[in-house]
Amino acid sequence: MPTPTGRGPVPHGHVTLSDVARFVGVSAQSVSNALNNPGRVAPETRAKILAAVEELGYRPNRSARALRNQRSRLIGIRVEPSRDDRAALLFDQFLHALAESAAATGCHLILCQADGEDNEVAAYRELLSTTSVDAFVLTGAHRGDSRVAALRDVGVPFAMFGRSWDGDADLAWADVDGRAGLHAATAHVAAQGHRRIAHVGWPEESDTGRDRRAGWREACADLGLADDLLEEVADDFDQARAAAHRLLDLADPATAITCSSDTLALGVLRALADRGLRAGADVAVTGFDNSPAAALTTPGLTSLRQPLEQVAQDLVTAIEELIHGAEAPQQTLLQPELVVRESSLRGPATGGTHPTPAS
């Protein structure tokens, strides 16, 4: 590529740091400082350099930077296989949020796919042996997580979406308070006059499911209501549909059903439709995750929104702190937001949504 000399058009092609320096009329070190150590450059000069970077389309050589800084700026994460029977696109939404948060710190994601925990650990080891990866983000936290010990063995920083259910004080994590969310959802339907409030949740072995179920039980206790209307099923539309039929077949049936996910809630909505019942007017229904489907159902599904953008930001911050030698890992428990739609309201449909923070 021809080299630019002074201001003027720059031919298309790979633009180097030296090209930017010549274009602005400063040294290459000044350009480097403007990008990496802005405090060493006068504000006016830095503004000119950044404008030139944008105009010329300069992109730093990440490989060369990694050699200098001993960092690749890559964060590894396993992608989950898609499932046709799940409504919540939680992981997809989280992945987008994580990519944006990583990019804001100059990092990028590197993805791997693996089925099962052992294969996931093997995939991480393969990445570490073939690619310079700075850190990992794990999802799907649970008790006795073998991935935690494996990554600690190789000495690579990592943070978890999901708290340590083992009470590991040395684990960096960010999570959403599902217990508070289900407490808020249960209190919400009780405020609509319901006294037979059921919960359709995940099996006992699910730590997240137990946490959300505990929120429902605590709300029932606080409100003086029975907590005998419980169904535990896999996160599956058809199983939730069958569970709802069982709850509605009781001699004293449920008049409100809270769910641990939107997938389960959609199964409950189908069961109501099977019986000619109206969600909200006849039986209140709430979900969890505020998936895209929640706003598209008729009536709209009341659901709990997870603050995925904040989760992602907190995880990237936790990783940056670990890389820079932080001794105390960052641990954050965030509050979900109850997004109220017609599926939980006794009154006529209004078509609006009414966000209410969980407490």
Side-chain angles (χ1 to χ4, degrees):
M1 182 189 97
T3 302
T5 55
R7 288 196 171 274
V10 177
H12 293 289
H14 179 66
V15 178
T16 69
L17 185 143
S18 295
D19 294 334
V20 176
R22 281 189 291 269
F23 187 82
V24 180
V26 297
S27 69
Q29 184 61 53
S30 293
V31 177
S32 178
N33 286 339
L35 296 174
N36 302 304
N37 299 289
R40 298 181 180 180
V41 182
E44 182 179 351
T45 302
R46 183 170 186 261
K48 291 179 181 178
I49 291 172
L50 294 181
V53 165
E54 182 68 23
E55 182 177 345
L56 302 181
Y58 169 68
R59 295 293 178 269
N61 186 314
R62 183 145 38 90
S63 297
R65 179 182 290 181
L67 290 174
R68 291 193 302 272
N69 300 339
Q70 298 300 305
R71 286 194 61 182
S72 66
R73 314 298 299 185
L74 294 176
I75 298 173
I77 184 170
R78 180 183 73 96
V79 295
E80 299 180 356
S82 61
R83 279 179 46 187
D84 293 336
D85 60 343
R86 296 185 67 173
L89 299 175
L90 179 70
F91 183 79
D92 292 340
Q93 295 169 322
F94 169 66
L95 199 59
H96 284 290
L98 187 64
E100 289 183 1
S101 295
T105 65
C107 295
H108 298 275
L109 301 185
I110 182 168
L111 311 180
C112 64
Q113 186 166 358
D115 294 327
E117 203 161 289
D118 291 341
N119 290 334
E120 183 176 348
V121 170
Y124 291 157
R125 291 185 182 276
E126 176 70 15
L127 273 180
L128 288 168
S129 66
T130 59
T131 309
S132 296
V133 179
D134 283 342
F136 289 94
V137 168
L138 308 184
T139 60
H142 60 85
R143 296 176 192 272
D145 198 321
S146 64
R147 300 171 299 173
V148 172
L151 290 180
R152 282 177 174 163
D153 283 345
V154 296
V156 63
F158 64 94
M160 180 85 75
F161 181 7
R163 77 199 77 170
S164 169
W165 298 106
D166 296 313
D168 188 340
D170 296 323
L171 180 65
W173 55 263
D175 199 8
V176 177
D177 194 342
R179 180 182 299 219
L182 259 296
H183 192 290
T186 305
H188 164 68
V189 295
Q192 300 294 310
H194 295 282
R195 291 295 176 266
R196 294 290 286 165
I197 303 175
H199 181 62
V200 177
W202 297 326
E204 178 65 24
E205 58 266 25
S206 167
D207 292 302
T208 301
R210 281 201 307 274
D211 188 59
R212 295 179 184 181
R213 182 168 61 250
W216 164 73
R217 287 195 187 281
E218 289 174 2
C220 288
D222 292 344
L223 296 164
L225 305 178
D227 62 358
D228 57 320
L229 300 177
L230 173 65
E231 288 284 340
E232 296 178 350
V233 297
D235 196 37
D236 177 87
F237 176 92
D238 289 326
Q239 290 192 38
R241 182 182 183 182
H245 279 300
R246 291 192 292 270
L247 291 167
L248 296 169
D249 281 338
L250 296 172
D252 192 5
T255 65
I257 303 176
T258 64
C259 301
S260 281
S261 74
D262 283 356
T263 298
L264 298 180
L266 291 175
V268 171
L269 292 179
R270 177 62 64 84
L272 297 185
D274 293 341
R275 293 169 173 256
L277 297 174
R278 299 165 299 169
D282 297 320
V283 179
V285 182
T286 69
F288 202 114
D289 289 334
N290 196 38
S291 63
L296 301 177
T297 61
T298 303
L301 174 63
T302 292
S303 188
L304 287 146
R305 186 185 74 83
Q306 300 202 50
L308 297 179
E309 297 82 4
Q310 189 61 53
V311 170
Q313 290 177 23
D314 288 351
L315 289 173
V316 171
T317 298
I319 284 174
E320 288 292 311
E321 291 181 353
L322 290 173
I323 288 174
H324 288 97
E327 295 184 2
Q330 178 172 298
Q331 300 176 343
T332 55
L333 185 62
L334 303 168
Q335 296 300 303
E337 177 185 55
L338 185 66
V339 180
V340 178
R341 300 185 177 93
E342 295 85 355
S343 73
S344 63
L345 300 175
R346 285 191 182 276
T350 62
T353 61
H354 315 280
T356 304
S359 58

